[in-house]
Amino acid sequence: VHAALAGHAVAARRHAPQDRRLSGAATAMVLNGAYLVDRAGLDGFRALAEALADRHPELRLELTGPWPAYSFVAEPAAESAWP
């Protein structure tokens, strides 16, 4: 699912799944993805998500957003404390 959605996005990031106590969902989250989509591609992205949901009825796909730009920023690599 992530690979298909990421292929239709300008940028994509996988974030840690949220705990059910925070999300309020009855089932565990297995994918927490953020996808940066051009306005022109938004309808196609939604159609792809719907097709994936139909193909995988055991999953609940939920589109939300728009999300802030920091959702797509990679964390910097840790620097060594030793020179």
Side-chain angles (χ1 to χ4, degrees), residues 13-71:
R13 294 281 184 263
R14 290 183 72 169
H15 299 292
Q18 288 187 341
D19 187 287
R20 285 187 290 206
R21 293 173 291 186
L22 296 175
S23 68
T27 57
M29 181 184 285
V30 296
L31 172 64
N32 183 6
Y35 307 93
L36 183 61
V37 180
D38 284 327
R39 285 187 195 268
L42 188 55
D43 289 339
F45 186 82
R46 282 189 181 129
L48 173 62
E50 289 173 8
L52 289 167
D54 289 344
R55 206 175 312 156
H56 299 284
E58 70 281 9
L59 301 175
R60 179 178 59 92
L61 273 70
E62 181 178 342
L63 293 180
T64 61
W67 289 95
Y70 64 72
S71 298

